[in-house]
Amino acid sequence: MVKKPFQAESKRLLELMINSIYTQKEIFLRELISNASDAIDKIYYRALTDDAVSFEKDRYAIHIAADKEERTLTLSDTGIGMTKEELENNLGTIAKSGSLAFKNETELKDGHDIIGQFGVGFYAAFMVADVVTVVSKTLDGEQAFKWESNGTDGYTIEPVEKEAVGTDIFLKIKENTEDESFDEYLEEYRLKAIIKKYSDFIRYPIKMNVTEQRPKEDSEGEFEEYKEEQIINSMVPIWRKNKSELTNEDYEQFYQDKHYGFDQPLEHIHLSVDGAVRYNAILFIPENIPFDYYSKEFEKGLELYANGVLIMEKCADLLPDYFSFVKGMVDSEDLSLNISREMLQHDRQLKLIAKNIKSKIKSQLQTLMKNDRDKYEKFYQSFGRQLKFGVYSDFGASKDVLQGLLMFYSSTEKKLVTLSEYVSRMGDEQKYIYYATGESNERIEKLPQAELVADKGYEILYFTEDIDEFAIKMLRSYQDKEFKSVSSADLGIETDEETDTKAENDENKELFNQMKSLLVGKVTDVRVSKRLKTHPVCLAADGEVTIEMEKVLQAMPDNQNVKADKVLEINMNHDVFRALKQAAEHDKEKLELYTNLLYNQALLIEGLPLTDPVGFTDDMCRVMV
Ligand code: ADP
Ligand code: MG
């Protein structure tokens, strides 16, 4: 028998390919199963035009069997088979794809898409096998042929006996090396897992003899092993099914089967898009935050399938960061894959899909907000923070997408409200959307700074998360209404005393200057307060950096020591003010004592740390005795 060499340069190319295209050896199985599925589909297409051929789906299957002793792995299909010439042309020539040629000649039908296209997948077998033997008999041929190769120096072809139409592929699995184990490709559980992972949605049954246990007859508590042929793959992808045929339980089952999370999905989105790119997708919004969600380890992404075959486990490009909590999969026939089928050739289709998915997720969330507020709030408790990060990041590039999804606790409604709800309640005279920041709603409720705004009957949004104010700064305004902190120097509220403040500040200039010099480096100004009603003092901020922002920035690892320009505001109508005035006239020491006490009180109310707590308590004692 003459050994035929591979076509020119094939040998080198083969080596190169086998060792560099694929990142994981396990995909050889995906490639061989995909070929088998293609071969069966080809019978289906034949039956459409050839009366002599009928296609009874039940007759077709892919069998997989491993023999540990012999170190062989066998794949058998009942597909269309290969003639001698086809064995030679398709397997003997790298980058020659019989399937691509077939696709070009045939009008493909939905549900029977041919997977192959590059003519290299078959060679992946040489990543795990020393020798590959292919025995094949075609639908029309009498004679079967055997093709055999060790992958490096050519192949042989000879006639053999084979009864059934189809193809058997025998892999002589490599011996383990020092740093690589090949035994795993002979292990039932591993083969099952690989099939499930990549080929779960191959249309034809992938059958394997699986070892099971059963109670031994006439014995108590003893078990015996037995072999049972099982279908490993689920075959029909749920995303190809009609939405109307599917129940919530089906989606939940899918969520669990796919290990998207340990929880139940809160919402699912089932998309069948037939536009510029065709794709199906099933997306989930989880009920709970994944345990590693806010850690570095968390990887966003959706599973990406091409024609039901898994291409990528976590395709990050399909999801913007602010929707990184979304789980699920996308299947498309329109992806142009690269040769390893692990990556995409062009990301144009992917970009289109990603854009489409983004807007679908957004509109689903909006619908949820409208129709099931409780559920939306539940979602928001888990992932609202991520939406706010989304508003803030990239200099607000996505704020238009996200602002409608934000919610904050409202002082008047006593629940979470949206920005548009807030604005709809604003009276004509109210210029700003007011907010107050603090550790908790309870704490903000007691903030003296909020008194005037609250007194005016204006609604105040409570910001309790560190990201809140930064996100809002990025928004600047909502429906042309600017945001305003209740602690900002100018509240934009006309009060009766407005005109008097300047006079009062002038009147007390001497006192305020003295206090200012006692608080050098701590506050930039001391002023009469317009916003205080019952409390004696508070801190406000001049300029862009608010006190809450200072707190957040100070807590960051790359603390740049950014400080707010703090202003100590005094309530002139409070008895304390009179005491201050008297002290300023008669007792400088007392003035210093009072000034420090008031400043420290203001810090405490703001939730800022006291620089000298012991000094503060000493001061209190001095007042008491
Ligand atoms: P591709 O699948 O991308 O075409 P492969 O290297 O996987 O490339 O396979 C090369 C060709 O060999 C296929 O196009 C097909 O014509 C043929 N082939 C491979 N496996 C089988 C099989 N099990 N049955 C019939 N034909 C096959
Ligand atoms: Mg192939």
Side-chain angles (χ1 to χ4, degrees):
M1 192 175 15
V2 227
K3 217 171 214 184
K4 300 201 179 181
F6 285 118
Q7 305 279 316
E9 300 301 326
S10 287
K11 189 176 156 185
R12 230 189 88 61
L13 190 58
L14 192 58
E15 267 170 23
L16 254 175
M17 207 207 63
I18 292 169
N19 297 306
S20 61
I21 295 191
Y22 301 109
T23 51
Q24 281 165 306
K25 294 203 161 42
E26 64 185 24
I27 62 89
F28 80 92
L29 197 56
R30 175 189 79 179
E31 293 301 323
L32 297 181
I33 290 173
S34 296
N35 285 350
S37 168
D38 281 352
I40 298 173
D41 271 336
K42 285 172 192 168
I43 298 189
Y44 165 84
Y45 283 108
R46 241 321 250 294
L48 293 180
T49 53
D50 188 341
D51 288 342
V53 180
S54 68
F55 185 82
E56 288 137 42
K57 196 165 186 259
D58 298 345
R59 288 210 325 253
Y60 303 99
I62 301 159
H63 286 266
I64 294 179
D67 184 329
K68 279 190 197 172
E69 265 92 78
E70 297 290 321
R71 284 191 87 76
T72 53
L73 181 66
T74 314
L75 273 99
S76 310
D77 67 64
T78 52
I80 200 155
M82 282 175 276
T83 62
K84 185 173 182 234
E85 289 68 36
E86 283 169 335
L87 283 167
E88 205 154 301
N89 291 335
N90 295 337
L91 304 186
T93 320
I94 296 177
K96 168 112 185 172
S97 169
S99 293
L100 181 65
F102 181 88
K103 269 202 272 199
N104 293 338
E105 291 157 13
T106 318
E107 190 194 329
L108 293 186
K109 287 230 157 65
D110 198 33
H112 286 270
D113 304 289
I114 300 289
I115 302 162
Q117 68 178 114
F118 294 115
V120 295
F122 171 78
Y123 295 96
F126 291 107
M127 292 194 295
V128 300
D130 289 323
V131 180
V132 178
T133 310
V134 181
V135 174
S136 197
K137 183 170 166 182
T138 61
L139 205 52
D140 320 282
E142 291 288 288
Q143 180 64 57
F145 287 91
K146 178 169 114 181
W147 179 101
E148 194 166 80
S149 172
N150 62 5
T152 48
D153 48 27
Y155 58 90
T156 58
I157 290 188
E158 59 182 306
V160 283
E161 287 301 308
K162 183 179 188 319
E163 214 168 290
V165 170
T167 304
D168 300 333
I169 300 180
F170 305 91
L171 308 183
K172 184 87 185 166
I173 297 295
K174 289 185 180 181
E175 294 293 338
N176 291 343
T177 63
E178 236 170 63
D179 37 35
E180 241 175 328
S181 163
F182 293 96
D183 286 355
E184 56 179 295
Y185 303 117
L186 296 163
E187 295 287 350
E188 244 172 50
Y189 78 94
R190 256 303 268 161
L191 294 167
K192 261 170 86 171
I194 301 172
I195 296 167
K196 267 295 205 196
K197 180 170 172 187
Y198 295 101
S199 312
D200 200 29
F201 305 111
I202 290 291
R203 278 183 292 282
Y204 305 103
I206 303 170
K207 295 180 179 175
M208 209 167 103
N209 273 334
V210 176
T211 314
E212 293 289 346
Q213 303 233 328
R214 67 181 160 208
K216 218 170 171 175
E217 256 177 75
D218 303 326
S219 84
E220 237 161 83
E222 276 184 67
F223 283 83
E224 61 176 1
E225 287 189 345
Y226 71 103
K227 291 271 185 186
E228 184 189 80
E229 191 178 67
Q230 287 179 2
I231 297 175
I232 312 296
N233 55 331
S234 348
M235 295 197 276
V236 187
I238 159 172
W239 62 86
R240 289 262 173 83
K241 289 189 186 160
N242 216 320
K243 274 176 240 180
S244 57
E245 291 167 32
L246 295 163
T247 62
N248 274 342
E249 286 71 41
D250 291 328
Y251 291 107
E252 279 166 19
Q253 191 60 48
F254 184 69
Y255 185 85
Q256 249 118 57
D257 289 349
K258 283 270 152 199
H259 305 296
Y260 287 144
F262 300 107
D263 56 348
Q264 297 276 327
L266 192 74
E267 275 282 287
H268 68 257
I269 309 174
H270 188 161
L271 303 170
S272 305
V273 177
D274 211 0
V277 252
R278 288 166 299 166
Y279 74 90
N280 293 295
I282 295 185
L283 311 175
F284 293 100
I285 296 166
E287 182 170 38
N288 299 325
I289 311 177
F291 69 94
D292 58 349
Y293 189 56
Y294 287 110
S295 80
K296 271 210 308 286
E297 279 68 44
F298 182 82
E299 270 182 79
K300 65 165 183 172
L302 299 175
E303 286 183 299
L304 183 63
Y305 290 81
N307 268 323
V309 180
L310 183 70
I311 302 302
M312 236 186 269
E313 270 179 279
K314 281 216 162 128
C315 182
D317 292 344
L318 284 170
L319 288 176
D321 279 342
Y322 51 80
F323 289 153
S324 60
F325 46 83
V326 174
K327 304 274 181 183
M329 51 69 52
V330 171
D331 180 41
S332 176
E333 303 153 23
D334 292 345
L335 301 171
S336 56
L337 303 171
N338 83 345
I339 194 163
S340 69
R341 303 209 276 132
E342 288 174 3
M343 277 175 298
L344 303 177
Q345 195 86 279
H346 307 289
D347 58 1
R348 194 174 47 84
Q349 305 105 318
L350 201 68
K351 278 204 178 113
L352 274 172
I353 296 175
K355 199 171 149 215
N356 204 274
I357 281 177
K358 183 177 83 181
S359 69
K360 300 282 185 194
I361 298 171
K362 183 192 161 182
S363 60
Q364 181 89 359
L365 288 173
Q366 270 169 333
T367 313
L368 190 64
M369 184 193 251
K370 220 170 101 210
N371 299 342
D372 191 345
R373 191 64 172 246
D374 284 349
K375 213 168 173 190
Y376 186 79
E377 278 187 25
K378 201 159 181 210
F379 153 76
Y380 198 76
Q381 297 294 355
S382 298
F383 302 111
R385 187 176 167 76
Q386 191 64 11
L387 300 182
K388 295 172 198 167
F389 273 115
V391 169
Y392 176 70
S393 56
D394 298 329
F395 304 100
S398 307
K399 62 184 186 185
D400 291 342
V401 183
L402 298 172
Q403 56 186 3
L405 297 173
L406 299 181
M407 295 207 296
F408 298 99
Y409 184 85
S410 151
S411 63
T412 55
E413 303 299 304
K414 307 284 180 216
K415 60 173 190 191
L416 291 172
V417 300
T418 66
L419 295 175
S420 90
E421 287 162 357
Y422 182 105
V423 171
S424 72
R425 283 191 285 267
M426 281 173 75
D428 290 341
E429 81 291 352
Q430 184 180 343
K431 281 193 257 170
Y432 299 108
I433 300 173
Y434 291 101
Y435 66 85
T437 49
E439 236 159 67
S440 63
N441 292 344
E442 293 71 32
R443 229 171 142 154
I444 296 177
E445 218 138 56
K446 299 206 175 84
L447 274 183
Q449 290 94 320
E451 278 190 315
L452 176 67
V453 181
D455 245 39
K456 266 285 201 184
Y458 294 160
E459 187 173 351
I460 302 171
L461 299 175
Y462 289 4
F463 288 4
T464 49
E465 281 192 302
D466 50 8
I467 182 69
D468 288 344
E469 204 173 11
F470 289 89
I472 280 316
K473 288 270 164 196
M474 207 47 93
L475 280 185
R476 301 202 77 90
S477 63
Y478 183 81
Q479 292 179 2
D480 295 331
K481 307 286 182 198
E482 273 178 51
F483 292 92
K484 194 106 196 149
S485 163
V486 296
S487 312
S488 63
D490 172 26
L491 282 175
I493 294 179
E494 307 281 327
T495 58
D496 306 337
E497 307 102 75
E498 172 98 44
T499 40
D500 294 340
T501 331
K502 195 185 169 324
E504 283 165 346
N505 271 325
D506 287 345
E507 206 175 288
N508 297 297
K509 206 169 170 191
E510 179 61 17
L511 167 67
F512 291 155
N513 277 340
Q514 283 185 52
M515 291 176 79
K516 223 168 109 176
S517 57
L518 289 168
L519 295 171
V520 159
K522 292 171 178 163
V523 301
T524 51
D525 206 2
V526 181
R527 274 185 223 146
V528 168
S529 179
K530 286 186 279 178
R531 81 189 88 221
L532 291 174
K533 293 271 163 186
T534 56
H535 286 73
V537 280
C538 72
L539 283 177
D542 270 345
E544 274 298 292
V545 183
T546 65
I547 290 164
E548 205 57 33
M549 289 168 87
E550 172 185 311
K551 277 194 244 170
V552 176
L553 294 168
Q554 294 284 340
M556 285 190 178
D558 59 340
N559 173 12
Q560 313 240 322
N561 212 16
V562 177
K563 295 261 189 196
D565 289 337
K566 298 187 200 71
V567 178
L568 186 69
E569 290 194 355
I570 315 276
N571 183 354
M572 279 192 62
N573 302 319
H574 202 283
D575 289 344
V576 158
F577 185 69
R578 244 161 286 137
L580 268 175
K581 278 212 89 137
Q582 273 181 6
E585 274 161 36
H586 306 295
D587 189 344
K588 296 283 164 229
E589 218 169 285
K590 221 173 206 171
L591 179 69
E592 183 171 2
L593 175 68
Y594 288 177
T595 302
N596 281 331
L597 269 174
L598 288 174
Y599 168 69
N600 280 323
Q601 279 181 32
L603 287 181
L604 280 175
I605 293 170
E606 271 308 314
L608 286 166
L610 301 184
T611 35
D612 183 8
V614 177
F616 175 62
T617 46
D618 285 350
D619 283 350
M620 297 240 298
C621 294
R622 274 170 63 199
V623 178
M624 286 164 82
V625 293

